[in-house]
């Protein structure tokens, strides 16, 4: 029932399998120079939390690498490379879902690219489609600007099946439309402009320190929504996000 904690201070940590699947204690692995999970390898926390911190380095998921947990998967790094055949969240064989997957930046003001947008932490649509989670949060309260989509982004059904949170100390903008279907969306930022034609956004909440502009072709409902940080009651001005 104990947690498995591993810290490396050398060069990039190479993982060829970590299994805590008989425990609920979880897995916490840190190497601030980078972490690589080799192909055909799983890091399995079962029903415990799985935390990987690659610091200013790169978190690399090679080939069919899998990060498995039905609880929380929290990934912190400044650079990331996710194979189009890998898995984040859920159980073996691209099944099940994590309750929450968080993709954080390590260094303050690091910008984030979602689905072909501009930014340093690159999260292509094909990579995000490897995430299996009920709720997903991208960014944190110190992250830089987030830019979404070089072409219309429609996430896979297993990605943020219920709720997507985008969080930034900067702004959140888009280059092309986003189609979130029935998913709810929380924005936590210094200001957000999601006003490109063709958006499909339904339930929505925002905690903003600046201006907000949003449009949707579907019926937009301002709601009280809860993510891993807490509840946002509709559209709220905040001292921080």
């Amino acid at each position: 029932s104990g947690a498995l904690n591993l810290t490396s201070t050398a060069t990039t940590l190479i993982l060829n399998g970590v299994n805590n699947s008989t425990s609920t204690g979880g897995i916490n692995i840190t190497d601030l120079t980078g972490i690589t999970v080799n192909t055909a390898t799983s890091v399995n926390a079962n029903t415990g939390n799985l935390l990987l911190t690659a610091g200013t380095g790169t978190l690399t998921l090679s080939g069919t690498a899998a990060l498995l947990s039905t609880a929380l998967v929290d990934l912190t790094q400044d650079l990331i490379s996710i194979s189009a055949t890998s898995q984040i969240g859920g159980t073996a064989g691209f099944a099940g879902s994590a309750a929450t997957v968080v993709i954080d930046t390590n260094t303050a003001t690091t910008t984030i690219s979602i689905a072909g947008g501009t930014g340093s932490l690159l999260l292509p649509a094909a990579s995000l489609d490897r995430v299996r989670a009920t709720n997903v949060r991208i960014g944190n309260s110190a992250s830089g600007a987030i830019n979404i989509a070089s072409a219309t982004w429609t996430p896979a059904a297993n990605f943020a099946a219920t709720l997507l949170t985008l969080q930034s100390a900067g702004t959140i903008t888009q280059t092309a439309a986003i189609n979130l279907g029935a998913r709810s969306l929380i924005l936590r930022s210094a200001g957000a402009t999601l006003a490109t034609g063709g958006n499909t956004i339904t339930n929505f909440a925002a905690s903003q320190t600046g201006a907000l502009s949003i449009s949707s072709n579907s019926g937009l409902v301002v709601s009280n929504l809860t993510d891993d940080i807490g509840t946002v009651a509709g559209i709220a001005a905040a001292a921080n996000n």
Side-chain angles (χ1 to χ4, degrees):
S1 61
L4 191 161
N5 297 291
L6 173 62
T7 300
S8 171
T9 57
T11 56
T12 298
L13 177 65
I14 308 298
L15 299 178
N16 288 304
V18 180
N19 189 348
N20 204 18
S21 62
T22 61
S23 169
T24 59
I27 296 172
N28 188 347
I29 300 174
T30 299
D31 188 318
L32 299 182
T33 63
I35 298 173
T36 294
V37 184
N38 277 339
T39 188
T41 292
S42 67
V43 180
N44 189 352
N46 190 25
T47 58
N49 295 337
L50 172 55
L51 288 71
L52 296 184
T53 302
T56 57
T58 302
L59 173 61
T60 300
L61 303 184
S62 302
T64 57
L67 304 179
L68 305 178
S69 170
T70 56
L72 167 69
V73 178
D74 193 327
L75 310 177
T76 302
Q77 61 285 299
D78 283 343
L79 299 169
I80 194 167
S81 176
I82 302 170
S83 163
T85 53
S86 63
Q87 177 181 344
I88 300 173
T91 55
F94 211 64
S97 289
T100 301
V101 167
V102 176
I103 303 176
D104 276 336
T105 55
N106 178 78
T107 302
T109 72
T110 298
T111 56
I112 301 173
S113 159
I114 296 177
T118 58
S120 298
L121 182 69
L122 303 178
L123 300 171
S127 296
L128 293 175
D129 286 349
R130 308 314 294 174
V131 174
R132 301 184 64 86
T134 303
N135 300 329
V136 172
R137 172 165 58 87
I138 298 175
N140 57 43
S141 60
S143 296
I146 297 175
N147 181 248
I148 309 166
S150 60
T152 298
W153 177 44
T154 303
N158 48 268
F159 173 86
T162 298
L163 174 67
L164 172 63
T165 297
L166 303 179
Q167 186 176 25
S168 170
T171 58
I172 299 172
T173 58
Q174 66 182 147
T175 304
I178 57 177
N179 178 4
L180 296 182
R183 296 172 182 82
S184 297
L185 174 66
I186 295 177
L187 300 178
R188 297 176 177 271
S189 73
T193 302
L194 299 182
T196 298
N199 288 336
T200 300
I201 302 169
T202 52
N203 292 325
F204 167 76
S207 176
Q208 302 290 127
T209 60
L212 171 67
S213 178
I214 186 167
S215 67
S216 176
N217 287 344
S218 59
L220 187 63
V221 179
V222 177
S223 305
N224 295 343
L225 298 174
T226 301
D227 60 11
D228 65 298
I229 299 171
T231 297
V232 178
I235 297 174
N240 56 64
N241 56 56

